[in-house]
Amino acid sequence: FRSLKETEPEMVETTVFDLKREPKNKFDKKAIAIHFKKEKIGYIPKEKNEVIANLMDAGKKFSAKLKSKQWEGNWLKLDVEVYLND
């Protein structure tokens, strides 16, 4: 497992992240994890995940593309666009 500090330089504007549902997440039943190189690096915000989670539960596949990133203290804030993989 590598830290975000180690992997963050590899995240460029064209980076595509895998999105994976976590229906058993105890904090959010609609949780969608963001993965980079097979490692979970964060989540789609709870206030923005319901529609995408419902579509994923119905079998649709999504990915996210990096638009921008910024360190806020120890947190790496990613601005991503979510795409339906058709």
Side-chain angles (χ1 to χ4, degrees), residues 46-78:
K46 188 175 185 173
E47 60 275 2
K48 296 183 178 180
N49 69 7
E50 185 173 0
V51 171
I52 299 164
N54 289 341
L55 288 167
M56 289 177 89
D57 291 347
K60 299 291 183 188
K61 306 264 186 237
F62 288 82
S63 59
K65 189 166 127 185
L66 183 63
K67 286 177 52 184
S68 66
K69 62 183 177 178
Q70 171 180 337
W71 283 102
E72 294 181 359
N74 290 328
W75 293 92
L76 178 60
K77 181 180 179 188
L78 301 175

Side-chain angles (χ1 to χ4, degrees), residues 28 43 52 72 83:
D28 179 6
Y43 290 90
I52 299 164
E72 294 181 359
Y83 293 93

Side-chain angles (χ1 to χ4, degrees), residues 27-39:
F27 301 105
D28 179 6
K29 299 227 179 297
K30 299 288 183 184
I32 302 169
I34 301 171
H35 289 255
F36 178 64
K37 297 190 175 183
K38 300 188 175 158
E39 290 184 27

